[in-house]
Amino acid sequence: MRARLRKLYAGGREFVWSGRLYHVAGDRDCHRCVRLRVWGAGKNSHALEADLLSKAILPWGCATDGSYPTPQDVRNVIDYALTHGWDPGLVGGTFFLSERDHAFELPGFLLTDRLRDDGAPDPTARVFGASEPGTTEPLPASAP
C-alpha cells in the first residue's frame, strides 16, 4: 500500500511528507511506529527519515494504538533536522534521525532505531520510561 503524500509549508519552502505505519516488538509489548519521510526539493531530493515510536501504553498487551503525527509534529521534526545538519536541497540520499544520535522527542512520540536495527534499545522500556521518568515498568490499567 502506498503512503499518502501531504504538503507542509515552512520557511518559504514546500515540504512533502508521508507516514507509513509499522509496529515494533519490545520485550514485553508491541508498539505503533510511524516511519516519517520528508522531501524538501522534489522526489529526488535528500530525504529526511525518522521512525516515530508511539508513547501510548495500552492495558491489553501486544496491541498498537492509533497515534499518527500531526502537521505540527512534522514541522517540529523538520525544524529539528534543519538545525542538525539536514540539507533538503541536496540530491539523493537520506538523512536519518536516530535515537542513538539525536535527543529528540515529541509529545506523543520517541525516536526509535528498532525498525532498522533489531539490537536497538527495547521500545517497551523506553515507552514506560517516557511515561513516568525513573520507571521501566508498565503503569496499572487503572492509573490516570
Side-chain angles (χ1 to χ4, degrees):
M1 183 175 171
R2 221 172 166 177
R4 185 176 141 215
L5 295 177
R6 294 165 172 86
K7 292 181 180 180
L8 185 129
Y9 297 89
R13 180 187 291 262
E14 177 183 88
F15 292 92
V16 177
W17 66 278
S18 70
R20 186 166 285 220
L21 302 177
Y22 293 89
H23 77 276
V24 293
D27 288 346
R28 296 171 282 171
D29 213 344
C30 294
H31 307 274
R32 185 172 205 158
C33 185
V34 180
R35 175 163 283 168
L36 178 66
R37 290 194 45 94
V38 182
W39 299 267
K43 67 180 183 177
N44 294 322
S45 66
H46 192 63
L48 166 62
E49 186 171 293
D51 292 335
L52 303 176
L53 176 68
S54 170
K55 291 182 186 178
I57 298 175
L58 303 175
W60 50 81
C62 202
T64 61
D65 63 296
S67 296
Y68 195 79
T70 66
Q72 184 61 54
D73 290 332
V74 176
R75 173 66 187 265
N76 291 341
V77 171
I78 290 169
D79 289 346
Y80 177 87
L82 288 170
T83 61
H84 287 83
W86 178 46
D87 181 353
L90 296 176
V91 176
T94 303
F95 182 85
F96 296 101
L97 288 182
S98 70
E99 70 179 278
R100 182 186 66 236
D101 298 329
H102 300 277
F104 179 74
E105 185 175 327
L106 294 166
F109 297 95
L110 301 168
L111 287 175
T112 184
D113 293 339
R114 198 42 97 79
L115 282 182
R116 287 190 298 269
D117 178 3
D118 289 337
D122 174 33
T124 302
R126 294 187 65 231
V127 167
F128 291 147
S131 69
E132 188 173 315
T135 183
T136 58
E137 292 301 317
L139 297 174
S142 61

